[in-house]
Amino acid sequence: MGVQTTRGLQEGGVLACVKHFIGGSQSQNGTNGAPADLSERTLRQVFFPPFEANVRASVATLMPSHNELNGIPCHSNYDLIENTARREWGFKGLVISDWMDIEHLHDLHYTAVDNKDAFRQAILAGIDVHMHGPEWNEAVCQLVREGAISEKRIDQSVRRILETKFRLG
């Protein structure tokens, strides 16, 4: 059903987004941002198949979930975004954050010392677009000037964004 929705939306000129990647429905206390502990087997047999199917159907965007997966926030989970979605499944589209979830690396998950560090973690994990973030642009420019993020990594995201816009016309 998800693949057909993705195809239908994208044939109509709308970017489809498959979300939330992954495990938010199995949080330990039932809230969006709460941790989820899922075995590799459960991920691969239950949770990954619909996401992988949508990636193979060329879904345009992928959105990480609000929660931590096995102790790592999904918005800073390099293994999930880059190794699984991009390398293993061949995802070519944009990875877009959910509302304020990058900032939540600092104020909910406590893996970042501040929002700037949260932005660094998210970009290095594979996030291309921040849905919201008034501090984002200046902080990212500063991170590049400081050498904490390479221009090459920013160019990857810019290339993905521009290619997506050109495909949309």
Side-chain angles (χ1 to χ4, degrees):
M1 191 166 60
V3 167
Q4 294 306 317
T5 300
T6 290
R7 287 183 178 143
L9 287 169
Q10 293 187 167
E11 286 171 7
V14 175
L15 295 178
C17 183
V18 64
K19 62 183 197 172
H20 289 102
F21 190 54
I22 200 157
S25 63
Q26 296 295 309
S27 62
Q28 291 176 347
N29 70 5
T31 62
N32 272 340
D37 286 315
L38 298 168
S39 70
E40 185 75 13
R41 179 179 178 190
T42 299
L43 286 170
R44 294 204 172 269
Q45 289 184 349
V46 177
F47 287 90
F48 283 175
F51 288 92
E52 182 178 4
N54 275 277
V55 166
R56 299 207 186 276
S58 300
V59 70
T61 66
L62 176 75
M63 183 179 287
S65 57
H66 312 289
N67 57 287
E68 298 169 16
L69 176 64
N70 300 329
I72 302 171
C74 292
H75 275 72
S76 63
N77 194 325
Y78 182 90
D79 187 56
L80 190 63
I81 296 168
E82 290 295 327
N83 289 338
T84 302
R86 292 205 186 278
R87 289 187 183 94
E88 186 178 328
W89 299 342
F91 180 63
K92 303 283 188 239
L94 301 174
V95 177
I96 183 168
S97 75
D98 207 337
W99 188 261
M100 299 295 290
D101 274 344
I102 294 176
E103 287 80 355
H104 289 330
L105 297 175
H106 167 63
D107 63 21
L108 176 66
H109 302 294
Y110 305 109
T111 62
V113 296
D114 55 21
N115 285 345
K116 183 177 162 187
D117 184 43
F119 301 153
R120 180 191 62 78
Q121 288 182 27
I123 290 169
L124 293 178
I127 301 283
D128 296 307
V129 177
H130 189 4
M131 182 187 288
H132 172 77
E135 302 171 34
W136 174 259
N137 290 339
E138 182 53 40
V140 171
C141 289
Q142 194 174 26
L143 288 162
V144 170
R145 285 191 296 271
E146 294 168 356
I149 298 173
S150 71
E151 283 187 42
K152 182 180 176 181
R153 173 62 191 95
I154 299 302
D155 288 346
Q156 285 178 319
S157 290
V158 170
R159 186 175 299 108
R160 290 173 188 142
I161 292 165
L162 293 175
E163 286 173 351
T164 300
K165 288 183 173 194
F166 286 129
R167 278 194 304 272
L168 284 173

